[in-house]
Amino acid sequence: MARKFLPKVITSNHLLEGDVIYFSTDGEWVRNISQAAVFLDPETAHRKLDEADLQRNIHVGAYLADALLDDEGKPKPVHFRERFRTLGPSNYFHGKQAGN
Amino acid sequence: MSKIVRDYGFDRNILTVEDFISLATLRQGVEKPVRLDLGNDENPDGLQPYFCWLEMIRIPFPDFNDGRGFSLAKRLRQLGYEGVLRASGYLIADQYRMARLSGFDEIEIDDLLAARQPEWLWQSQVIKKKLSYQDRLLKTG
Amino acid sequence: MYKYNDFDHAFVRTRVAEFRDQVDRRLSGSLTEEEFKPLRLKNGLYLQLHAYMLRVAVPYGTLNSRQMRQLAMIAEKWDKGYGHFTTRQNIQYNWPKLKDVPDILDALADVSMHAIQTSGNCIRNVTADHFAGAARDEIEDARITAELLRQWSTDHPEFQYLPRKFKIAVTGSPNDRAVTRAHDIGLRAIKDSEGSAGYEVLIGGGLGRTPMIGKVVRGFLPKEDLLPYIEAILRVYNLSGRRDNKYKARIKILVHETGIEELRAEIEKEFLTRKAEFPGINPELLQAIEQDFAAPIFNKLSVDNHVARVAHDKEFREWVKNNVARHKIPEYAIVTVSLKPVGGTPGDATAEQMRVMADLAETYTHDELRVSHEQNIVLPHVPKAYLPKVYDELKKAGLATPNLGLLSDIIACPGMDYCSLATARSIPIAQDIAKRFDHLQLERDIGALKIKISGCINACGHHHVGHIGILGLDKAGVENYQITLGGNATEDAHIGSRVGPGFSAEELVPALERLLKSYLQLRESPEETFYKCYNRLGMDPFKEALYPHLKPKQIKRDRA
Ligand code: SF4
């Protein structure tokens, strides 16, 4: 049986800054996963990924990442790798968790 | 259409598939000077007797990441091949210097790449040929 | 130490300008990301999990105080105030911005440094014994060969697009501190029966997904044949190495699939072609390199104050016992500065600490520092008379942890805290282990022990050759850690064996505690190290300690 499709967000790294970014509903790249567009079916997710992928002068290596919706309907990471990407390293208070 | 990159700039490529023969054909014997298409996985061992018949050897680069052609060119030169060595396919301007130092004389690229990486860019690599650790390390004369 | 000549300076500056231009062309679209990636990698620039990462070459791990201060400056100006020293004797910055990288490279060039070929499918920065020039057992200073290879491999036109990365390590001593058996090429300086100098050449070692110990391809290679022979190895590899599968592209797989005999024959044949027209190395250049590595003039100062301090200061004595090694000159010592404070990140040093080490090197130790593959910093020539002063300064800077070669001297790769290839984190594991055993106060009792941790199968943390190796994996979306036992990274290199099913992050430290407590019970005497004890008894008793609730059969099944 095919596995149930989990909602997806599009994420990548910013070409100039290198940091983690997400594709938003209005086709912009944003830094906070809570503002990321969520795709509920595979077709839309892949079509949007192709669209995002065209902006290669802005970002490097976009892909689809699993997401869950919180009580307010905002996306949250599922896998621990994606969770770390929303935060930063665990040995120092650096990266997104420190607000940069 | 394709272009030939040489030290002095771009030329139009005038050769077609018919102007080249395969290694298998060559090994059957030749009666006049020919041009050889040598695959980057083919072994040039035993080719020396044919060298004087070979006007040109063309080596393909299916992908710019595939560096076999550089070693193949160097091996041919070290075996004594003195004719024209042409690289053809996907090489980028930043590799021109490597290609020249490995023994190639020219590179055949398609027009699309030539548009994205124009003549001046390839030519800017020419002077860097002199900046070679390998040449410098060796005894001269 | 090697000093850049005009050519080196011109070359490095040209490369910086070239990279600046390549960055611009990537932004303008003249270079695609696919084309740009190998170019940035050849200049040490990765794109990691949270940011870019710049890996700076410290050739064969040697640097002077001026260079170390510049590394500190770069950490403060363009990064977050620290750097990470790696198992490849390099330093990595975790937070540079793409637009700043050309400026950072220029700042490195100001002090005769670069980031060339610290990544990518080319010949990587050559590594060497971190005690070279100071060790007692040395036949010759490995760095002369390493520097020659640095120059030869730098921008070698034929070998910039190999099937995969290629690592060369050199040792000048019979005691192998450079892990030459785990490199694509390992070179060991030896003398033949007539006393002429040459190398034993090993190929096909490597860790990663398929760990292999290097095999001897040439028992004795005369010195003058070094470059043509290495070129022959590289050419055979470049032409025949697999390009269809990234995990099968290293030369170790070629050795494995072709067989060492057949490969040797191919290499020897290529070597003869190459040698026939090889004109030899320019003797002036070689001499210049040799002179640059001439030993400093050693002053034989009285060792009285050192002896006195050892006699009355227990902490100092402990540090000397663990972190200070014998030097070839009796009045001197080799100091290893531990970058492994309990609970810290293995291999990290702050800009401030880098400056302290630079000052010490300049004032007391002939202006030389080394980066070891065990992620520590070595002061290779310290007069014993200065040991007390050096110790006091290090201690003030938090750099005198007396744990060298002990449990908390852990090698850990960056893992999923930084690395985009990681399957689990490794740094927090190292921190937890060190903290737990510090709390138990067992480290000293346990004695010599090498724990090595990698955050994925690529094995940058050398887990295969740790006495205890730990490999972090992703098991159905949870971090999971596999333990291997009995690895060895020395001249008797050996790949450790996997014991059984992995542990969660929470279970791991208690499991290690059981393991090491049972070692303390099992050993014949305190002199019998964990490694020796393991070799005497085999895996079973240790397996039982790790998996007290599992029946032996079940363990076997889970392992399969
Ligand atoms: S072992 Fe894996 S996780 Fe660790 S640094 Fe290497 S690639 Fe990254």
Side-chain angles (χ1 to χ4, degrees):
Chain A
M1 207 185 84
R3 268 178 54 200
K4 186 169 165 283
F5 181 81
L6 283 177
K8 296 280 185 289
V9 294
I10 294 172
T11 181
S12 189
N13 285 74
H14 194 267
L15 172 62
L16 270 175
E17 303 289 318
D19 59 342
V20 175
I21 49 178
Y22 301 90
F23 202 56
S24 76
T25 35
D26 39 10
E28 303 276 312
W29 291 95
V30 293
R31 287 188 152 77
N32 196 320
I33 190 172
S34 66
Q35 292 158 14
V38 182
F39 308 107
L40 300 171
D41 67 279
E43 292 72 33
T44 321
H46 282 103
R47 185 164 43 77
K48 283 288 177 184
L49 178 62
D50 289 343
E51 197 178 297
D53 210 36
L54 289 177
Q55 304 181 8
R56 291 196 173 191
N57 54 341
I58 300 180
H59 70 91
V60 182
Y63 61 92
L64 295 171
D66 289 344
L68 285 177
L69 299 182
D70 67 11
D71 300 344
E72 295 166 39
K74 299 242 165 80
K76 290 240 168 300
V78 176
H79 192 274
F80 60 89
R81 182 178 193 270
E82 291 306 319
R83 184 158 44 83
F84 298 151
R85 287 179 81 242
T86 67
L87 295 171
S90 51
N91 62 334
Y92 300 115
F93 191 65
H94 287 161
K96 284 200 187 303
Q97 60 196 336
N100 57 28
Chain B
M1 278 304 292
S2 55
K3 295 209 163 39
I4 304 300
V5 190
R6 300 203 171 97
D7 280 3
Y8 56 78
F10 281 180
D11 272 331
R12 217 160 51 84
N13 180 29
I14 48 168
L15 299 178
T16 65
V17 194
E18 282 88 65
D19 295 308
F20 293 85
I21 62 167
S22 71
L23 186 59
T25 313
L26 179 74
R27 291 206 196 270
Q28 286 163 17
V30 285
E31 287 156 0
K32 60 176 176 79
V34 291
R35 300 185 188 85
L36 171 70
D37 257 335
L38 185 66
N40 70 356
D41 53 355
E42 289 185 301
N43 190 338
D45 280 0
L47 270 191
Q48 277 115 316
Y50 298 101
F51 279 172
C52 56
W53 293 99
L54 291 175
E55 255 176 27
M56 180 187 285
I57 299 178
R58 184 166 73 168
I59 296 173
F61 281 78
D63 186 350
F64 74 98
N65 268 322
D66 184 340
R68 276 179 284 190
F70 297 123
S71 274
L72 197 51
K74 200 80 200 206
R75 186 186 256 175
L76 285 166
R77 290 301 188 205
Q78 281 170 8
L79 289 171
Y81 175 69
E82 286 175 349
V84 176
L85 258 183
R86 175 186 286 193
S88 91
Y90 191 3
L91 277 175
I92 60 175
D94 304 81
Q95 293 173 307
Y96 185 69
R97 191 182 149 273
M98 288 164 219
R100 291 286 284 119
L101 289 172
S102 299
F104 287 106
D105 300 293
E106 53 190 40
I107 302 181
E108 183 184 327
I109 57 169
D110 70 30
D111 287 345
L112 230 65
L113 182 66
R116 192 156 54 82
Q117 302 189 348
E119 189 172 30
W120 64 264
L121 196 60
W122 295 79
Q123 285 203 284
S124 69
Q125 297 288 319
V126 175
I127 52 154
K128 289 190 204 145
K129 259 192 317 181
K130 294 202 195 79
L131 220 53
S132 160
Y133 267 109
Q134 295 74 33
D135 287 351
R136 202 174 154 270
L137 271 178
L138 301 183
K139 238 187 252 167
T140 46
Chain C
M1 257 187 75
Y2 182 71
K3 287 176 222 57
Y4 270 25
N5 51 42
D6 292 348
F7 180 88
D8 291 301
H9 283 299
F11 182 89
V12 169
R13 290 290 181 194
T14 308
R15 274 294 288 255
V16 177
E18 184 179 86
F19 186 63
R20 204 178 278 282
D21 173 58
Q22 286 164 344
V23 171
D24 289 345
R25 284 193 285 132
R26 167 68 180 91
L27 298 178
S28 78
S30 162
L31 283 170
T32 65
E33 178 59 26
E34 288 68 34
E35 290 163 352
F36 178 63
K37 187 175 171 188
L39 300 173
R40 73 163 151 77
L41 289 177
K42 274 185 220 313
N43 288 289
L45 190 63
Y46 282 79
L47 184 51
Q48 293 288 33
L49 211 54
H50 313 293
Y52 282 98
M53 179 270 277
L54 182 67
R55 182 182 292 156
V56 175
V58 181
Y60 33 87
T62 297
L63 70 172
N64 62 27
S65 60
R66 200 166 145 250
Q67 293 171 322
M68 188 64 121
R69 284 193 196 103
Q70 191 78 340
L71 294 178
M73 187 281 282
I74 290 170
E76 277 172 347
K77 183 163 178 188
W78 288 292
D79 211 88
K80 294 191 190 286
Y82 71 98
H84 175 72
F85 290 95
T86 79
T87 53
R88 297 270 312 137
Q89 300 182 301
N90 293 320
I91 179 169
Q92 293 179 175
Y93 293 107
N94 289 326
W95 305 95
K97 303 274 196 292
L98 179 60
K99 65 174 185 347
D100 293 333
V101 172
D103 293 339
I104 300 177
L105 296 179
D106 258 327
L108 289 169
D110 289 345
V111 293
S112 303
M113 291 182 85
H114 61 71
I116 297 168
Q117 286 172 223
T118 54
S119 176
N121 293 339
C122 50
I123 303 165
R124 299 288 187 85
N125 182 41
V126 177
T127 53
D129 183 357
H130 47 267
F131 285 178
R136 285 193 147 213
D137 56 346
E138 183 164 279
I139 297 169
E140 63 169 42
D141 191 325
R143 296 172 303 166
I144 297 166
T145 302
E147 173 58 25
L148 183 66
L149 289 172
R150 180 191 75 85
Q151 298 194 18
W152 163 81
S153 63
T154 298
D155 210 25
H156 196 300
E158 195 183 333
F159 306 129
Q160 292 297 305
Y161 289 86
L162 297 169
R164 197 82 175 85
K165 60 187 165 185
F166 201 93
K167 299 176 182 175
I168 305 177
V170 194
T171 174
S173 301
N175 290 303
D176 187 357
R177 287 170 292 261
V179 209
T180 57
R181 284 189 176 276
H183 285 76
D184 296 283
I185 293 181
L187 294 171
R188 307 158 67 118
I190 52 169
K191 294 220 155 90
D192 72 358
S193 50
E194 265 110 66
S196 3
Y199 308 95
E200 180 186 51
V201 186
L202 305 147
I203 60 169
L207 302 174
R209 181 170 296 221
T210 323
M212 300 220 183
I213 299 293
K215 296 196 169 76
V216 177
V217 62
R218 180 67 105 83
F220 182 80
L221 182 73
K223 276 214 141 155
E224 62 274 17
D225 288 342
L226 180 69
L227 294 188
Y229 195 81
I230 301 254
E231 279 191 9
I233 297 175
L234 263 302
R235 183 169 304 154
V236 168
Y237 167 60
N238 195 25
L239 285 168
S240 319
R242 284 180 62 170
R243 288 175 187 266
D244 58 330
N245 180 342
K246 175 177 161 184
Y247 296 107
K248 300 202 162 155
R250 295 287 289 272
I251 195 174
K252 64 188 173 187
I253 303 294
L254 185 66
V255 174
H256 182 69
E257 290 181 352
T258 313
I260 186 77
E261 300 301 330
E262 194 180 329
L263 205 62
R264 178 183 297 128
E266 272 181 54
I267 290 167
E268 292 291 338
K269 187 168 154 228
E270 194 68 52
F271 167 65
L272 289 179
T273 313
R274 178 65 182 121
K275 199 187 164 179
E277 45 93 62
F278 185 75
I281 297 166
N282 179 346
E284 278 168 41
L285 276 178
L286 195 58
Q287 236 174 30
I289 297 176
E290 280 167 4
Q291 269 166 15
D292 280 348
F293 289 108
I297 298 164
F298 295 117
N299 338 296
K300 308 201 168 171
L301 303 172
S302 153
V303 302
D304 291 353
N305 61 341
H306 163 63
V307 173
R309 179 83 179 260
V310 166
H312 76 252
D313 182 343
K314 198 168 142 247
E315 277 183 19
F316 180 71
R317 190 159 61 231
E318 181 76 12
W319 176 76
V320 169
K321 181 173 152 238
N322 292 325
N323 293 37
V324 176
R326 281 161 61 157
H327 192 276
K328 61 183 178 189
I329 308 291
E331 291 83 1
Y332 273 71
I334 306 172
V335 168
T336 302
V337 180
S338 168
L339 298 184
K340 318 283 177 69
V342 170
T345 303
D348 277 12
T350 64
E352 205 38 58
Q353 290 176 321
M354 290 184 217
R355 286 198 190 93
V356 168
M357 293 186 279
D359 289 349
L360 288 174
E362 190 175 30
T363 316
Y364 300 114
T365 84
H366 301 278
D367 204 17
E368 238 189 274
L369 300 127
R370 307 283 174 80
V371 183
S372 82
H373 77 268
E374 299 189 299
Q375 302 179 288
N376 292 309
I377 299 294
V378 174
L379 299 169
H381 310 296
V382 187
K384 284 184 180 158
Y386 297 149
L387 278 175
K389 282 187 191 142
V390 168
Y391 171 75
D392 292 338
E393 292 298 318
L394 287 175
K395 193 162 178 206
K396 265 193 264 167
L399 290 167
T401 316
N403 62 346
L404 216 83
L406 301 181
L407 178 143
S408 61
D409 184 12
I410 298 172
I411 291 187
C413 79
M416 206 183 274
D417 286 309
Y418 298 92
C419 178
S420 63
L421 301 172
T423 42
R425 289 174 297 178
S426 25
I427 294 168
I429 298 298
Q431 292 173 317
D432 289 349
I433 295 172
K435 279 191 255 174
R436 178 68 190 155
F437 283 88
D438 184 56
H439 174 76
L440 296 172
Q441 289 288 304
L442 278 179
E443 174 167 87
R444 213 174 310 168
D445 199 7
I446 291 168
L449 179 66
K450 303 227 183 251
I451 300 182
K452 306 188 191 230
I453 312 175
S454 304
C456 83
I457 194 75
N458 287 324
C460 303
H462 296 184
H463 66 275
H464 298 292
V465 289
H467 300 159
I468 298 177
I470 299 171
L471 166 63
L473 293 170
D474 172 355
K475 195 173 170 190
V478 184
E479 289 169 292
N480 188 270
Y481 296 88
Q482 270 180 7
I483 294 182
T484 53
L485 295 177
N488 180 343
T490 69
E491 58 280 3
D492 306 313
H494 189 77
I495 306 288
S497 312
R498 205 181 124 197
V499 194
F503 296 89
S504 71
E506 298 73 42
E507 294 164 349
L508 182 66
V509 177
L512 291 175
E513 194 178 322
R514 290 196 299 276
L515 177 78
L516 288 167
K517 280 183 172 160
S518 79
Y519 152 66
L520 291 176
Q521 304 266 302
L522 291 163
R523 70 181 177 191
E524 283 178 329
S525 72
E527 281 71 51
E528 189 178 55
T529 62
F530 173 81
Y531 182 68
K532 280 190 198 152
C533 182
Y534 174 84
N535 278 323
R536 176 171 61 84
L537 294 172
M539 188 189 278
D540 287 349
F542 299 100
K543 196 192 282 181
E544 266 167 44
L546 282 172
Y547 304 99
H549 309 301
L550 289 188
K551 306 256 176 310
K553 253 201 194 139
Q554 198 176 348
I555 295 171
K556 225 183 208 155
R557 202 182 51 233
D558 284 9
R559 185 148 57 109

